[in-house]
Amino acid sequence: MLRRRIYNPLTELLAAALLVVLVLVVNRWEFSFAVLVLVVLPAVLLSGRIRQISLAILLVAGPLLLSSLLLHGLFYPEGRVILLDFGVARVTQEGLSFAAVMGLRMGVFTGVLLTVAMTLDIPDLLATMTHRRWNRKLVFILGSAVGILPHVALRARQITRAQQARGLVVGRGPISRFRALLTVTTPLVIGLLVDASERNHMLQARGFSSSVPRTSYLPDTDTPRQRWARRGMAVAVGAFSLLWLGAGVLP
């Protein structure tokens, strides 16, 4: 069951972006950990899509965490406390600490952005931006970027079920799993490219490039209070970032 919507999608998207900016500016593991525990975890639990979002975070953040561990854990030039020495590579305490901090930040980034992207009401978001008279190309790009993950996940499930109906059997071995992955990935990528081409022709046929103001058939769910709140959040985060960086409060 999806969560009950309280805020406009534009407000949620801006809040997620500003939270990422704060994590980058503060650059302390304590703050990143607090955001992960107090913001990301409750957002995932209340999203109504715990399994889908958790799997997406694992698939995106997992390779990033592994690469950070291998890169900084084995090849950290500033490392002094050597835990293991492999000749060419050295496992140092400083390298592992840096890799852990970077992994925590990447986990926060992926958790915040994927949770918002996979729970946003895309039609409501596009309608809000249309009512605000945003540039139509920018609206289309943002809507496509935010909505690509649910679309890809749905298409992948459909292709997997179709392949299983044709006799696809996934074994336990790595070769069998890789072969099954190819049978799903190949039509998925081709289908996405075909959809993009067809969508381009449809948009051009419907006068997407014209300069006439667009009309949205969905009501505007945005409110003046939320618009002022967005401006206030942006100003507050900008002022805090300038004061934090200007004061030299850096680790």
Side-chain angles (χ1 to χ4, degrees):
M1 181 179 178
L2 297 179
R3 66 177 176 85
R4 176 178 173 268
R5 307 209 67 86
I6 301 176
Y7 302 105
N8 184 269
L10 197 58
T11 303
E12 297 179 3
L13 194 60
L14 178 63
L18 293 178
L19 191 59
V20 170
V21 171
L22 284 177
V23 173
L24 286 172
V25 170
V26 175
N27 195 23
R28 292 182 181 273
W29 73 267
E30 297 92 345
F31 182 75
S32 300
F33 183 76
V35 172
L36 183 64
V37 174
L38 300 178
V39 178
V40 177
L41 185 59
V44 173
L45 295 177
L46 297 175
S47 65
R49 295 178 175 176
I50 300 177
R51 182 180 178 182
Q52 295 89 334
I53 295 177
S54 300
L55 181 59
I57 294 175
L58 180 62
L59 292 176
V60 174
L64 296 177
L65 296 178
L66 182 60
S67 63
S68 176
L69 181 62
L70 293 177
L71 179 62
H72 302 295
L74 297 177
F75 305 99
Y76 193 71
E78 289 82 5
R80 296 293 180 266
V81 182
I82 301 175
L83 303 178
L84 293 174
D85 193 348
F86 298 105
V88 180
R90 299 181 307 167
V91 179
T92 62
Q93 180 178 342
E94 294 82 359
L96 292 178
S97 300
F98 185 79
V101 172
M102 292 296 295
L104 179 61
R105 291 176 63 184
M106 287 186 290
V108 172
F109 295 161
T110 55
V112 170
L113 297 178
L114 287 177
T115 301
V116 171
M118 297 183 69
T119 57
L120 276 181
D121 189 339
I122 305 300
D124 194 8
L125 174 64
L126 299 181
T128 298
M129 292 188 291
T130 301
H131 283 290
R132 300 280 79 76
R133 301 300 181 186
W134 286 33
N135 183 278
R136 67 188 64 196
K137 295 182 179 180
L138 179 61
V139 172
F140 178 76
I141 291 174
L142 289 177
S144 299
V146 174
I148 189 66
L149 288 177
H151 177 67
V152 171
L154 177 60
R155 177 63 66 87
R157 287 196 297 268
Q158 293 173 347
I159 294 175
T160 301
R161 293 171 183 172
Q163 297 288 19
Q164 289 175 344
R166 295 186 180 97
L168 174 65
V169 178
V170 181
R172 295 183 178 180
I175 298 179
S176 177
R177 292 181 178 272
F178 180 73
R179 189 178 303 163
L181 180 63
L182 289 179
T183 59
V184 175
T185 304
T186 303
L188 175 62
V189 174
I190 295 176
L192 292 176
L193 293 176
V194 172
D195 287 349
S197 178
E198 293 179 350
R199 190 178 297 112
N200 179 56
H201 292 301
M202 292 172 59
L203 290 173
Q204 295 299 330
R206 286 162 175 76
F208 180 76
S209 58
S210 65
S211 58
V212 179
R214 296 183 63 193
T215 301
S216 176
Y217 292 98
L218 295 177
D220 188 6
T221 60
D222 199 10
T223 60
R225 182 177 298 179
Q226 291 197 55
R227 290 196 290 272
W228 281 106
R230 289 197 297 269
R231 297 188 186 100
M233 289 190 300
V235 171
V237 171
F240 174 82
S241 301
L242 291 176
L243 290 175
W244 182 274
L245 297 176
V249 189
L250 293 174

